[in-house]
Amino acid sequence: MNETQANKWRKTRTMGKGKYVMYFGILAWGLSLAALFTLTEWLTQQTVTTSWIYIRIVVMGIVGFFIANFRWEAREKKLQLFLQPKK
């Protein structure tokens, strides 16, 4: 992590872990993946099953939760390593 990345992360982390996971995980990753899989279904089968849309949103929202949670933890660790005094 360099100074620019550290400053950007400091700004992002002010929103808190809960909001970060909600916005970047559940909404961004979850809905994007659900839309991608629904588009794939439409392109391959020329139909969309409504019940699968709901299932995708829930499952991909959970996947997005874990992705954002791991990213938060990894960036926090990188920031702590960056802030440690250099020897």
Side-chain angles (χ1 to χ4, degrees), residues 68-80:
N69 200 24
F70 289 133
R71 287 183 69 177
W72 175 277
E73 296 299 329
R75 289 183 179 176
E76 282 293 305
K77 191 177 287 188
K78 284 182 181 180
L79 181 64
Q80 294 306 317

Side-chain angles (χ1 to χ4, degrees), residues 2-18:
N2 59 36
E3 188 66 36
T4 305
Q5 292 170 328
N7 287 333
K8 185 176 179 186
W9 178 244
R10 284 183 190 116
K11 187 184 232 183
T12 301
R13 74 194 290 244
T14 60
M15 73 172 34
K17 186 175 182 179

Side-chain angles (χ1 to χ4, degrees), residues 16-79:
K17 186 175 182 179
K19 280 187 180 179
Y20 177 84
V21 169
M22 175 63 78
Y23 290 132
F24 293 103
I26 297 171
L27 293 177
W29 276 96
L31 292 180
S32 297
L33 287 173
L36 178 68
F37 278 88
T38 301
L39 178 64
T40 303
E41 179 185 12
W42 172 257
L43 292 174
T44 59
Q45 300 174 13
Q46 283 74 44
T47 186
V48 175
T49 308
T50 308
S51 60
W52 277 106
I53 293 174
Y54 299 124
I55 292 168
R56 284 186 196 111
I57 290 171
V58 171
V59 171
M60 297 307 167
I62 293 168
V63 169
F65 168 83
F66 285 109
I67 289 171
N69 200 24
F70 289 133
R71 287 183 69 177
W72 175 277
E73 296 299 329
R75 289 183 179 176
E76 282 293 305
K77 191 177 287 188
K78 284 182 181 180
L79 181 64

